Amino acid sequence: MENEKSVSGTDSARPWQSYHTAYTNAKAGMEKVDKEKVQRIVYEMSKGSKYFENEEKKEAYMKQKIENMRVQCAKLTAADINHYQKIADNKIVELETTRDLSRIWLHVDMDAFYAAVETLCNPSLKGKPMAVGSMSMISTANYEARKFGVRAAMPGFIARKLCPELIFVPTDFKKYTHYSDLTRKVFMQYDPNFLAASLDEAYLDITSICNERGMTGGEVAEELRESIHEETGLTCSAGVAPNHLLAKVCSDINKPNGQFVLPNDRMAVMTFVSSLPIRKVGGIGKVTEHVLKDVFEITTCEGMLQKSSFLCALFSRTSADFFLSVGLGLGRTDAPQATLRKSISNERTFSAIKDEALLYQKLVDLAEMLSNDMKKEGLCGRTLTLKLKTSSFEVRTRAVTLPTYTCSSEDILKHGSKLLKAELPASLRLMGKTTKYDSLLFSVETLSSGQCGLRMSHFNEGQNGVSFDPKQKTLSEFIVTGDASGRKLGDRAPSDSNNDDTLSVDRETSFSIGTHDTCDSIGLLGAHETPDLHHSDSMLGLNKEETKRNLDLRIDDLQNSVYEHNTVTNAINPRPNGASQLVERDSFPGQLEESSQDRWKNTTNSGDGEAGSSVNQYRPLLWMNDYKCSLCGAELPPSFVEERQEHFDFHLAERLQEEESSGVNQNLKLEQRLIRKDHLMSQTRQRKKHKTSASQDQYIPIDMFFVKTSQNF
DNA sequence: GGGACCTGCCCGT
DNA sequence: TTCCAACGGGCAGGTCCC
């Protein structure tokens, strides 16, 4: 407690000391930086901004987590601690048996890679403080700039404040990829199965080369670094150790242009990790460092072993195992497996947009880009995740798992719109009235600016464009035969400029390709062929202009129906490709010239000539005079939010029941039923969540780290 | 009870 | 003057279904 008081006293005098967002001393080349000065400047430039407010929220949440864990810790009895100590000791013995000192691993890390490449291409930058990136974000900074506290992941405007002479160079990933390929050719000579961790990092198993040539790991590292320099003109740093984890730590020790060798000897490893700060270990970031330090006073890897009983008591088994293995200096020693991509995504940050139509246009663009990227890699996925970052930097994700694998922009947009739309009624509810659930909901204001992204995951088994879907054979066949993306990875079109990227295809597909910086100048959409854009629209029989016009109409409709209750109507909207689509009350039906009221009565006027089904005759649920149900006359004032929702659910269930009994639903495909069901489930879930959250408002939020522990008690 | 799914968070480059 | 990215992997808890 004394410690807390003194910290808080310091905080009030020097508030920046507790603001760690953009500054850490973990980066190489920043050891002599005036930490306090940098922290003060970063703090002053950030203070009052939305970003700052969000950081404060996150900080407060983290402190609460720490406090909760302390409480849990204090509750441990001597018997509990004994119990967990036995578990920990057994675990340590078990982990010790897995120690493998037979391999020699080399981790290579290029020095300030992007900045070094730029300097190589423009020697006039040599010796000057320089950063690659923009005013909004810096990708990397050279060592001259780092002396001022400028570092990667720092916004450019703050960097310029720290170093007014700082030169900004825009990112050029084509260049970096070229030089990365050169380094990989060298890596291949030492380990044909090397693991590329990113454009500028790689792990090599040099055991064989050491044995074959009778060289030590250090000698091989020297030679490799020299080869890299000869081949590229760039310097790199290397770490030699018995496993991945330690090799990575070692490569950072003598940066730049240096190396560090940790012998394959247990004592040497244990001595090394005994004083190793936990933050140096890959996988332990800012949050975990704070938790371990503030709750358990663990600052070095050795501390992990000393507090092993507490770690086993308060963390999940996976986390505890990881911490203990770090304390023992263990890490992966196996040859890297060819890993398949797990997901593919894109996201864009944009300035404030008041117009919801433009927000949806962003979604259209993202869907098209994602579809193009998936087609390029021959991927079809089932789980679509929408990510939103509000103008206050709050991040939300919403996911849906589709009944079929897809890569079509039309499907992505359809389901992405559904996910996005699902957030909007909540926000619209905020416009008129304030509820106790406000903090959980998006407001129109916050949603209308920030960041939007789409991620597709849960790929089909082949991952090569051959769709696998036991449930929807017809659609699978359609995707394979009717989709230009149905080619295998090796079947890239001759015009594909990326087909020389053989190394990354074979070994590593997950590193960031940094499209965010190139898209502005080169343009991803432009680079990814207009025909693909045409493809998605052509599935609907629409050109791009028509698509946009329809989208605008959908948005107009949404805006027109703000005052209607969030309810669902059912209609079958025949599609050109033969698949029917369930049109929901709030799912932006395509043709909306008629008023919302009229559409409720006849929603399938889709212009394709097909008559609507009987379900179109349903009347909408409206709150007449804002309190009386138009269907049954029940009176519920606007403040009865949940009651109104339940009332709506009642009518909806009634309607579905009628449909079921009248056989209407028999005409609906499984997918449509699922969509409808999902919608209901989602609504129910959201309300449950809100309810739970509201009822727990007065309680301390539960931290996921210790929920499991509390169950253990 | 186990698995699938959704959501949020953490971490890395 | 400018005002905090774009990915991708993984873990964990809650909820629901079988």
Side-chain angles (χ1 to χ4, degrees):
Chain A
M1 289 302 284
E2 277 180 21
N3 187 32
E4 271 179 23
K5 273 179 190 169
S6 93
V7 168
S8 101
T10 309
D11 280 0
S12 60
R14 297 191 178 98
W16 55 84
Q17 289 192 334
S18 59
Y19 186 62
H20 303 288
T21 304
Y23 183 87
T24 74
N25 55 5
K27 201 79 184 166
M30 301 182 72
E31 295 80 11
K32 293 178 184 173
V33 173
D34 183 345
K35 186 178 174 181
E36 183 159 340
K37 183 187 168 192
V38 172
Q39 275 189 309
R40 181 172 52 79
I41 290 174
V42 172
Y43 173 81
E44 283 170 357
M45 293 207 69
S46 305
K47 195 180 172 187
S49 68
K50 291 271 176 68
Y51 176 82
F52 182 87
E53 286 170 15
N54 190 58
E55 287 300 306
E56 283 194 320
K57 270 187 213 166
K58 289 198 294 190
E59 184 86 13
Y61 179 69
M62 190 167 74
K63 280 183 179 168
Q64 190 63 69
K65 270 166 67 170
I66 288 168
E67 191 51 43
N68 290 344
M69 288 195 92
R70 279 180 175 158
V71 170
Q72 296 297 323
C73 224
K75 281 183 186 170
L76 288 174
T77 64
D80 290 333
I81 295 170
N82 271 337
H83 170 71
Y84 286 110
Q85 189 63 61
K86 279 176 192 163
I87 291 174
D89 291 344
N90 288 338
K91 192 73 215 173
I92 288 170
V93 170
E94 187 186 324
L95 285 170
E96 189 60 56
T97 63
T98 68
R99 189 185 294 277
D100 179 4
L101 295 169
S102 67
R103 313 304 302 177
I104 304 172
W105 280 95
L106 171 65
H107 179 252
V108 186
D109 193 348
M110 302 302 293
D111 300 325
F113 184 52
Y114 300 169
V117 169
E118 294 297 343
T119 305
L120 201 63
C121 298
N122 180 5
S124 71
L125 294 168
K126 203 170 181 183
K128 297 174 186 168
M130 180 266 275
V132 176
S134 65
M135 274 301 158
S136 61
M137 188 53 70
I138 287 175
S139 292
T140 193
N142 66 8
Y143 284 85
E144 284 78 11
R146 290 184 193 186
K147 290 173 189 164
F148 294 87
V150 176
R151 53 162 295 157
M154 175 182 274
F157 66 95
I158 289 178
R160 172 149 288 178
K161 185 79 175 179
L162 290 169
C163 176
E165 316 91 79
L166 187 66
I167 299 168
F168 284 88
V169 177
T171 46
D172 182 352
F173 279 93
K174 214 173 172 182
K175 245 188 256 176
Y176 313 144
T177 305
H178 168 73
Y179 280 94
S180 179
D181 287 346
L182 293 179
T183 64
R184 289 174 185 191
K185 279 176 186 161
V186 176
F187 298 156
M188 285 282 278
Q189 295 166 20
Y190 292 84
D191 176 13
N193 299 315
F194 76 91
L195 173 68
S198 67
L199 280 180
D200 67 328
E201 269 186 60
Y203 293 90
L204 290 79
D205 182 351
I206 55 171
T207 315
S208 301
I209 203 112
C210 285
N211 293 337
E212 284 166 18
R213 297 196 196 169
M215 294 167 75
T216 64
E219 287 166 347
V220 169
E222 284 275 6
E223 188 188 296
L224 181 140
R225 288 174 46 235
E226 186 56 38
S227 298
I228 294 277
H229 189 246
E230 281 174 15
E231 199 66 34
T232 65
L234 302 167
T235 64
C236 63
S237 300
V240 179
N243 60 53
H244 294 194
L245 184 134
L246 293 173
K248 171 136 176 84
V249 174
C250 289
S251 70
D252 196 53
I253 291 174
N254 286 321
K255 242 180 177 316
N257 199 17
Q259 64 183 55
F260 183 87
V261 179
L262 180 62
N264 284 30
D265 173 78
R266 187 182 178 278
M267 274 305 289
V269 170
M270 293 307 288
T271 306
F272 180 75
V273 296
S274 68
S275 58
L276 185 67
I278 52 174
R279 188 69 163 85
K280 293 281 183 186
V281 176
I284 297 179
K286 189 178 75 172
V287 174
T288 311
E289 180 192 26
H290 268 268
V291 170
L292 293 176
K293 196 175 168 186
D294 294 355
V295 180
F296 310 101
E297 295 173 343
I298 296 173
T299 55
T300 64
C301 297
E302 190 180 34
M304 304 275 199
L305 298 182
Q306 290 166 352
K307 304 289 172 117
S308 57
S309 59
F310 292 94
L311 295 176
C312 287
L314 274 84
F315 286 97
S316 70
R317 187 184 174 140
T318 310
S319 299
D321 284 3
F322 170 69
F323 292 142
L324 294 181
S325 63
V326 165
L328 293 167
L330 300 172
R332 284 186 64 177
T333 58
D334 54 331
Q337 304 296 312
T339 52
L340 293 172
R341 180 192 273 279
K342 303 280 195 304
S343 69
I344 186 168
S345 67
N346 56 23
E347 59 191 69
R348 290 293 178 274
T349 298
F350 38 84
S351 52
I353 294 174
K354 300 286 178 190
D355 187 352
E356 283 174 22
L358 290 177
L359 191 63
Y360 274 83
Q361 184 54 52
K362 295 283 179 193
L363 198 66
V364 172
D365 295 341
L366 286 168
E368 286 175 345
M369 280 194 283
L370 183 59
S371 171
N372 287 338
D373 289 348
M374 291 180 74
K375 287 169 184 170
K376 270 186 95 172
E377 299 206 21
L379 298 168
C380 290
R382 271 187 71 200
T383 301
L384 180 69
T385 305
L386 173 75
K387 176 183 171 184
L388 300 167
K389 190 189 268 184
T390 69
S391 58
S392 56
F393 293 89
E394 188 183 2
V395 178
R396 284 280 183 276
T397 56
R398 295 288 180 268
V400 62
T401 297
L402 315 177
T404 61
Y405 294 100
T406 185
C407 62
S408 92
S409 59
E410 184 220 3
D411 284 344
I412 294 169
L413 179 60
K414 185 173 81 181
H415 295 288
S417 298
K418 193 174 163 63
L419 291 171
L420 177 57
K421 165 190 62 67
E423 305 304 327
L424 292 176
S427 65
L428 297 175
R429 208 149 28 135
L430 281 183
M431 291 178 72
K433 31 187 159 306
T434 304
T435 75
K436 58 188 171 182
Y437 308 127
D438 281 359
S439 61
L440 293 167
L441 306 175
F442 293 113
S443 72
V444 169
E445 184 64 30
T446 54
L447 247 191
S448 61
S449 65
Q451 191 182 51
C452 190
L454 287 171
R455 177 187 287 206
M456 187 69 92
S457 54
H458 196 167
F459 297 130
N460 53 349
E461 288 186 343
Q463 292 213 36
N464 57 3
V466 180
S467 180
F468 170 79
D469 187 352
K471 285 183 285 183
Q472 298 283 337
K473 284 180 183 172
T474 308
L475 185 56
S476 301
E477 285 162 13
F478 167 75
I479 291 169
V480 173
T481 58
D483 190 320
S485 72
R487 59 179 183 264
K488 293 180 180 178
L489 271 177
D491 298 340
R492 292 185 176 188
S495 60
D496 189 337
S497 60
N498 290 330
N499 57 2
D500 56 341
D501 192 11
T502 50
L503 291 177
S504 60
V505 168
D506 289 339
R507 301 299 312 279
E508 176 64 46
T509 55
S510 65
F511 57 79
S512 171
I513 56 172
T515 52
H516 55 294
D517 283 304
T518 51
C519 67
D520 288 336
S521 52
I522 302 171
L524 268 182
L525 281 176
H528 288 188
E529 310 96 30
T530 312
D532 272 349
L533 301 183
H534 175 70
H535 164 78
S536 61
D537 291 329
S538 64
M539 289 178 70
L540 285 167
L542 300 174
N543 62 31
K544 190 159 185 172
E545 278 306 305
E546 287 169 332
T547 305
K548 283 186 176 173
R549 200 161 51 239
N550 273 348
L551 182 77
D552 289 345
L553 288 170
R554 293 170 195 177
I555 302 303
D556 287 345
D557 180 66
L558 172 78
Q559 289 166 341
N560 287 339
S561 36
V562 163
Y563 299 106
E564 293 180 27
H565 194 281
N566 169 27
T567 186
V568 179
T569 191
N570 316 297
I572 299 165
N573 183 16
R575 307 290 293 277
N577 63 10
S580 297
Q581 180 192 21
L582 176 71
V583 176
E584 296 181 354
R585 155 65 186 74
D586 47 359
S587 65
F588 314 114
Q591 290 71 31
L592 304 158
E593 285 81 1
E594 59 198 346
S595 72
S596 300
Q597 286 274 2
D598 290 339
R599 184 167 49 73
W600 265 78
K601 291 167 188 165
N602 185 10
T603 53
T604 55
N605 184 14
S606 57
D608 55 32
E610 285 202 36
S613 73
S614 61
V615 290
N616 302 320
Q617 306 308 316
Y618 287 126
R619 289 183 298 116
L621 184 158
L622 292 176
W623 293 102
M624 296 186 296
N625 297 325
D626 210 18
Y627 79 98
K628 196 168 181 178
C629 174
S630 61
L631 297 179
C632 68
E635 295 179 4
L636 284 170
S639 59
F640 284 55
V641 178
E642 286 183 28
E643 288 77 3
R644 280 192 172 197
Q645 288 285 353
E646 281 163 13
H647 192 80
F648 155 71
D649 286 347
F650 166 74
H651 281 301
L652 179 62
E654 199 177 51
R655 187 167 301 175
L656 292 174
Q657 184 71 39
E658 286 172 30
E659 285 179 11
E660 288 288 348
S661 56
S662 66
V664 169
N665 266 358
Q666 289 167 15
N667 296 327
L668 299 178
K669 286 190 170 182
L670 174 66
E671 178 185 358
Q672 297 158 348
R673 289 171 188 240
L674 287 173
I675 290 170
R676 179 181 297 177
K677 183 182 146 201
D678 277 353
H679 189 96
L680 272 171
M681 297 284 292
S682 163
Q683 287 187 332
T684 310
R685 225 172 11 234
Q686 278 185 4
R687 281 197 296 280
K688 270 188 186 172
K689 237 180 201 177
H690 296 168
K691 222 174 205 173
T692 310
S693 172
S695 67
Q696 291 180 344
D697 272 350
Q698 67 273 34
Y699 300 122
I700 295 165
I702 303 296
D703 166 47
M704 66 176 178
F705 275 141
F706 65 78
V707 165
K708 187 146 190 141
T709 307
S710 62
Q711 288 168 345
N712 288 340
F713 286 122

